[in-house]
Amino acid sequence: MDMPVTGPGGPDASSEDLIIAVEQMVRYVRHSARAGGLSIAASSALGRLGREGPQRLTDLARGEGVSQPNMTQLVTRMERAGLVRRVADRSDGRGVLVEITAAGQEVFARRRAERAEALQRLIAELTEPEQQATRTALLALARALRSRQDTP
């Protein structure tokens, strides 16, 4: 009679084992993206702008979990690199929005493709049942995260 696999990677993995696995996977996938030579902070902010569209600097800073002065510096560096630009907020003439440029969109798309390729390589090392379980679990977690964002 087979005993259930326990410990790291097994069905009885602890919360600690799972968070370590998630952290390792995220780090692996993040570091696989090289396009544009961006820092993780710049890549994250550019990704947010690419996915969600133009944002006020304060909203971008809040969404990224950084101070407004830090985000201002980051946006200034990305603006100099031609990845983002500041534009007037049409809904509030006094406001300014940060939006991704075509060059920024290209870097964002290349980085996403690099991360997707890295994740595919990682998943390809698994057995077929593990691949299916991983895809199912990742999509379920993404759905749970989206539902959390939809509720105040």
Side-chain angles (χ1 to χ4, degrees):
M1 178 157 112
D2 290 329
M3 296 293 292
V5 179
T6 60
D12 297 330
S14 71
S15 295
E16 182 73 13
D17 293 332
L18 294 174
I19 196 62
I20 289 169
V22 168
E23 289 169 347
Q24 289 172 332
M25 182 185 63
V26 168
R27 191 170 24 258
Y28 170 78
V29 170
R30 271 191 176 158
H31 289 290
S32 67
R34 302 275 187 230
L38 301 178
S39 67
I40 290 175
S43 179
S44 182
L46 191 67
R48 182 177 295 274
L49 292 169
R51 286 185 309 277
E52 299 174 11
Q55 296 185 25
R56 287 179 176 262
L57 201 100
T58 53
D59 295 334
L60 186 57
R62 189 178 319 109
E64 291 298 307
V66 300
S67 70
Q68 186 170 342
N70 284 348
M71 184 54 68
T72 299
Q73 290 177 353
L74 182 61
V75 166
T76 299
R77 286 194 304 273
M78 291 193 307
E79 196 171 28
R80 285 188 197 129
L83 302 174
V84 301
R85 67 178 151 253
R86 297 171 208 235
V87 296
D89 184 346
R90 291 186 180 102
S91 67
D92 177 359
R94 301 166 299 168
V96 174
L97 297 174
V98 179
E99 72 177 10
I100 194 169
T101 63
Q105 193 68 44
E106 184 179 317
V107 168
F108 168 63
R110 286 195 339 246
R111 290 180 73 86
R112 176 171 270 179
E114 289 171 339
R115 291 189 309 263
E117 186 179 314
L119 183 59
Q120 265 314 105
R121 283 192 310 265
L122 195 58
I123 291 174
E125 294 178 21
L126 305 175
T127 65
E128 186 58 40
E130 289 171 330
Q131 289 179 20
Q132 189 57 46
T134 299
R135 288 185 183 100
T136 300
L138 289 174
L139 292 172
L141 287 169
R143 188 175 55 252
L145 286 168
R146 278 193 305 276
S147 71
R148 285 177 158 267
Q149 293 169 348
D150 296 340
T151 57

